[in-house]
Amino acid sequence: MRSIKSLIWRNLTARPLRAGFSAFAVSLGAAMIIAAEYVSAALLETFANAGEGDMRITHGFVVEQFDTMMSLVGYVLMGAAAFLIFNAFAMSIAERRRQIGALRALGMTRRQVLRQVLLEAVLIGGAGTAVGLALGPLLGRGIIAVMQKFGGAFVAFGKGSVGWETAVLAAIIGLGVTVLSAWIPARSATKVSPLAAMRPQETGDWRLEIGNRRFNLQSLIASLLIAILFIYLAIAPPSEWLTSPWSEAVTVGFVALWLVCLGLLLPLLIRVLGTAVRRWLGAKSANGRLIGDNIQRSRRRVILTILTLAVGLGTITGLTGFMTFAFDDLMGASIRRIAEKGTWAVFPFDLESGIAGLSELDDIALPPEAITAIETAVADRASVVPVRFALVPELSFFGDSYFTYVADPEVVRGNPYFFQFTKGDWETALPIMESGCGALVAPLIANRRGVGIGDTLTVTGQNGPLDCTIAGIGAGYVNASIVGDVVEDELGATQPIGLSITPNANADTSTLGADLQQTIDTHPGVYLTRMSDFARTQDEALGLFAVALNGMLLLAVVAAALGIVNTTVMSIHERRQELGLLRAVGATRRQIREVVMGENALIGLAGAIFGVVAGMGSVVIIVTTMGGGSWGVTDLALWPAAGRALKPTLVNGLVGILAAPLISAWAARWPLKGLLRGSALATLNPEQPPEMDKQKPRRQPSRHLYSLAWRNLQEHRLRTLFSA
């Protein structure tokens, strides 16, 4: 056992750059999971002063969704780390093939070989996870600083914290991803017989021939499937006839089909980019021909490296598009519907200041005297709807913390823009809501709970379970469910925290607005806001989420750059004699650097294009397949909505396409330092380790006999170990 531990330590220290980058990739994923908890706790801290219970009801869903988004990015970074670790261990096993064969010949069993590789993975994953747990709160503080800088007074944060459950989860995921990623290379190492492992290994790889006259069969099939899929979406979008939950299931299936087919086209993308570079740049210099040819070598390694980059970029660009679709077209439809009526909102805080406007309040309930004064000033010129909330997980649209409106059903009936039926009507709904717990819900909630109009749904009340009848199905304001105020006490509804004031058709809005403002001025701490201004504020909040996603996109690119460094190290090691020969026949250090950095830039460009195309295609599929039926938006123009969702996705994609090649090319400088430090003859030496940038230049050998002996033993440590 002691000898196995010694071998593990030797293997890790022999390739410190590879092991360090793999550990750092794991640490990024773990740190993002911890940072999500830290930022969420900081947001919740702002609710402590302002009537904590009411604040959690009205704004808790913001924290939950932000936490979900950041945690998702952490899982995506873990996925990118998995590709990197798999690639690293696959390279390591291929490089140590003869060593493993020699150890097997000396008596090491398959189980011991497997244990050795997996223990290396545990050490790398453990180190990366430990660093991620330590850096997570610091990353959370950085995210808070960025959001405060770009969000201004719109956001406010308290003191962040991290629970032990989240820390344990991050540790389990970090170690689990590392071990699982190393499992396949480790299993392949145990299947090689000692004699086969001792033989020289061919450097061949996945050879996917795609000639000018004959396309590869898998590329042809994938292209046909993609064409059929998008033609079908254009002619007969499934959202026009599918309902939840089938629409969500079909959406997931179509996205999976799209990603698989796109993955099958990845070798073709590499071929096309390589050929294009060879033709365009090859006519000007030999470097262009070398770059175009080299990227098509070792395609398995290049494909894994591209996927490492594409996973992060594709997920973040797709998430950006989906958020735009949800906020702008689905939830935004109800906001615009009310804004078009000239509606005002009255709250005891500045609605446009966002969460920051609530952080200094002791109570967010609207003063009763202010409500009476406003109702007196309005008289019969407008309808006044008190805004009250309850937290009912069974009726929540987003997660378990999205609020539910509690209102007088007669008042809601008089304001049809608050709820539009897709199933049912007020003749059926009103008696149900006036006689007990009756709820107006979105189609997604009804389908998720398996209920229809007149069915009973058991919900969580203040004093235990409460039976609630579905009174209607349709689109409510920001897709919140509406429950009659008959059961306000049973649901623990808040006091009115605001008023919605909608002028009648024949009302003089300018006079009404002036009277409202005059009344508001007599009640300090009460604010009057037009819903059209609130819609603009919602767009600013969405922009704040986009800023956070852009920062996470850069993190994903950095994580992928680590994989590119890993690929470059192995590529340089395999091509050491080739590069040395180029130097020997006259190639300068600068030319060698341009070739290798150009290859990396091309890999980064391919990964960015693949990821952005994957993300944008996923957004189109989500919009046209899921549509707005689950949200109660039945009149949604699908393809214009898809175009609006693609705009911010394209912006993020362009950022990634510009940043990925630059970061990838810069990442090649580290392994190139050691290669270009020596002479051309030294570069031709195949015994030099690939990660020379971690080693200091060797001094001239001492003439002393003991120094020479020690130097020889160090250069051939494996041979010395076997001899001993």
Side-chain angles (χ1 to χ4, degrees):
M1 185 66 183
R2 183 176 299 175
S3 60
I4 294 180
K5 292 181 179 179
S6 300
L7 284 173
I8 292 172
W9 181 250
R10 281 172 51 81
N11 291 330
L12 292 177
T13 55
R15 301 290 181 264
L17 192 63
R18 181 184 303 164
F21 284 160
S22 300
F24 184 63
V26 174
S27 70
L28 278 180
M32 183 56 71
I33 295 174
I34 296 297
E37 172 79 7
Y38 186 90
V39 176
S40 299
L43 280 171
L44 285 173
E45 180 70 17
T46 61
F47 299 165
N49 296 330
E52 184 175 0
D54 293 348
M55 282 291 293
R56 289 183 182 272
I57 292 175
T58 57
H59 288 75
F61 75 96
V62 176
V63 179
E64 183 184 51
Q65 297 307 313
F66 191 79
D67 178 74
T68 301
M69 182 189 71
M70 290 187 59
S71 298
L72 176 62
V73 174
Y75 300 142
V76 169
L77 291 177
M78 280 292 189
F83 281 105
L84 190 155
I85 294 166
F86 174 83
N87 207 4
F89 274 91
M91 294 177 190
S92 177
I93 296 301
E95 184 180 297
R96 293 153 47 191
R97 183 183 176 90
R98 286 195 177 188
Q99 180 197 75
I100 293 173
L103 292 173
R104 292 284 313 281
L106 290 174
M108 181 176 281
T109 64
R110 297 178 187 270
R111 179 176 296 180
Q112 287 175 322
V113 173
L114 180 63
R115 184 189 306 168
Q116 174 190 340
V117 178
L118 292 182
L119 284 176
E120 292 178 22
V122 169
L123 290 176
I124 291 174
T129 301
V131 173
L133 294 178
L135 292 180
L138 296 178
L139 180 60
R141 293 176 186 174
I143 293 173
I144 289 174
V146 171
M147 294 187 68
Q148 286 179 327
K149 179 176 178 59
F150 288 94
F154 190 80
V155 292
F157 295 91
K159 183 179 179 181
S161 61
V162 179
W164 66 268
E165 301 92 342
T166 304
V168 171
L169 176 64
I172 292 174
I173 292 176
L175 285 172
V177 165
T178 309
V179 173
L180 289 177
S181 301
W183 177 263
I184 296 178
R187 290 285 296 174
S188 67
T190 63
K191 294 179 181 179
V192 180
S193 65
L195 291 178
M198 295 294 287
R199 298 191 191 105
Q201 186 182 13
E202 298 294 331
T203 58
D205 216 322
W206 293 349
R207 300 298 179 186
L208 304 174
E209 298 296 334
I210 307 175
N212 293 329
R213 298 181 180 180
R214 182 175 61 87
F215 282 92
N216 181 270
L217 180 60
Q218 71 175 28
S219 300
L220 180 60
I221 294 175
S223 300
L224 288 175
L225 288 176
I226 290 175
I228 292 172
L229 173 61
F230 282 95
I231 290 174
Y232 171 66
L233 294 178
I235 296 176
S239 62
E240 295 182 351
W241 54 274
L242 276 177
T243 58
S244 178
W246 290 106
S247 58
E248 287 80 9
V250 173
T251 299
V252 172
F254 280 173
V255 170
L257 175 64
W258 157 247
L259 295 178
V260 170
C261 292
L262 198 62
L264 294 176
L265 290 176
L266 187 53
L268 179 61
L269 173 63
I270 297 172
R271 177 82 177 193
V272 170
L273 285 177
T275 302
V277 170
R278 193 179 190 281
R279 290 181 179 178
W280 295 343
L281 299 182
K284 299 180 181 179
S285 67
N287 288 354
R289 292 192 295 273
L290 288 173
I291 293 172
D293 290 339
N294 289 338
I295 194 178
Q296 299 179 62
R297 299 163 56 179
S298 302
R299 291 197 184 168
R300 177 183 182 183
R301 186 181 308 141
V302 172
I303 286 174
L304 286 175
T305 306
I306 289 175
L307 288 176
T308 304
L309 177 60
V311 165
L313 285 175
T315 303
I316 293 175
T317 52
L319 185 61
T320 302
F322 174 74
M323 287 180 56
T324 302
F325 172 58
F327 280 93
D328 189 25
D329 286 288
L330 300 182
M331 293 180 66
S334 61
I335 297 176
R336 288 190 296 271
R337 191 167 64 236
I338 291 183
E340 290 171 356
K341 298 291 184 179
T343 302
W344 288 279
V346 177
F347 288 99
F349 50 84
D350 188 359
L351 193 62
E352 297 186 38
S353 65
I355 295 176
L358 306 172
S359 58
E360 301 299 329
L361 295 179
D362 295 327
D363 187 5
I364 63 171
L366 199 63
E369 60 273 14
I371 297 176
T372 302
I374 292 171
E375 289 177 340
T376 302
V378 168
D380 58 352
R381 294 179 293 175
S383 61
V384 179
V385 180
V387 179
R388 305 179 66 187
F389 299 101
L391 185 59
V392 187
E394 293 79 10
L395 301 179
S396 174
F397 192 83
F398 286 116
D400 291 331
S401 59
Y402 199 62
F403 55 81
T404 294
Y405 283 113
V406 178
D408 183 349
E410 281 287 358
V411 175
V412 176
R413 182 183 186 180
N415 295 270
Y417 45 83
F418 262 100
F419 191 85
Q420 293 186 343
F421 287 92
T422 57
K423 291 182 179 180
D425 50 41
W426 279 111
E427 283 68 24
T428 303
L430 195 61
I432 296 176
M433 299 180 73
E434 289 179 339
S435 61
C437 182
L440 304 173
V441 300
L444 178 65
I445 298 175
N447 294 326
R448 182 192 300 164
R449 304 297 177 183
V451 294
I453 296 178
D455 293 338
T456 300
L457 176 64
T458 301
V459 301
T460 303
Q462 289 293 297
N463 301 316
L466 177 66
D467 290 336
C468 200
T469 304
I470 303 301
I473 299 174
Y477 178 63
V478 293
N479 284 93
S481 300
I482 302 175
V483 178
D485 58 0
V486 177
V487 290
E488 58 183 25
D489 295 332
E490 289 88 338
L491 294 179
T494 65
Q495 294 300 314
I497 66 168
L499 299 175
S500 172
I501 304 171
T502 304
N504 297 331
N506 57 353
D508 185 350
T509 55
S510 58
T511 303
L512 176 60
D515 293 342
L516 281 173
Q517 189 60 57
Q518 184 178 2
T519 305
I520 293 297
D521 291 339
T522 61
H523 294 81
V526 179
Y527 297 86
L528 179 67
T529 304
R530 283 190 175 274
M531 291 304 297
S532 56
D533 295 332
F534 176 64
R536 176 177 50 81
T537 304
Q538 292 289 98
D539 292 337
E540 294 176 359
L542 181 60
L544 188 61
F545 275 91
V547 169
L549 285 175
N550 281 331
M552 297 172 191
L553 181 144
L554 292 179
L555 279 180
V557 174
V558 169
L562 302 179
I564 293 175
V565 172
N566 200 18
T567 300
T568 305
V569 168
M570 194 62 187
S571 177
I572 289 176
H573 179 55
E574 289 181 348
R575 296 159 49 197
R576 182 179 180 82
Q577 289 183 301
E578 173 190 330
L579 298 175
L581 182 60
L582 289 175
R583 290 194 59 193
V585 298
T588 64
R589 290 183 174 89
R590 179 177 179 180
Q591 289 174 322
I592 297 296
R593 186 181 295 111
E594 288 177 353
V595 169
V596 178
M597 293 179 67
E599 295 170 16
N600 278 21
L602 199 57
I603 290 175
L605 179 63
I609 292 175
F610 183 81
V612 171
V613 171
M616 295 180 68
S618 299
V619 171
V620 172
I621 292 173
I622 290 172
V623 173
T624 55
T625 305
M626 188 177 70
S630 299
W631 300 60
V633 184
T634 56
D635 57 347
L636 179 66
L638 296 176
W639 285 99
R644 289 189 293 271
L646 286 177
K647 288 181 180 179
T649 303
L650 184 59
V651 172
N652 274 2
L654 290 176
V655 172
I657 290 175
L658 293 176
L662 296 177
I663 295 177
S664 301
W666 178 79
R669 296 179 63 89
W670 295 346
L672 278 173
K673 288 180 180 179
L675 177 74
L676 301 178
R677 184 181 294 136
S679 62
L681 293 178
T683 307
L684 282 167
N685 181 11
E687 297 298 327
Q688 294 289 338
E691 297 179 45
M692 295 166 295
D693 53 317
K694 291 296 182 180
Q695 300 182 8
K696 297 181 180 179
R698 288 188 173 90
R699 298 179 181 177
Q700 292 297 324
S702 171
R703 294 182 180 179
H704 197 279
L705 178 62
Y706 295 113
S707 299
L708 286 172
W710 179 251
R711 175 181 171 82
N712 290 332
L713 290 175
Q714 289 294 309
E715 289 185 347
H716 305 286
R717 287 176 285 185
L718 187 59
R719 185 184 306 163
T720 303
L721 178 64
F722 290 154
S723 300

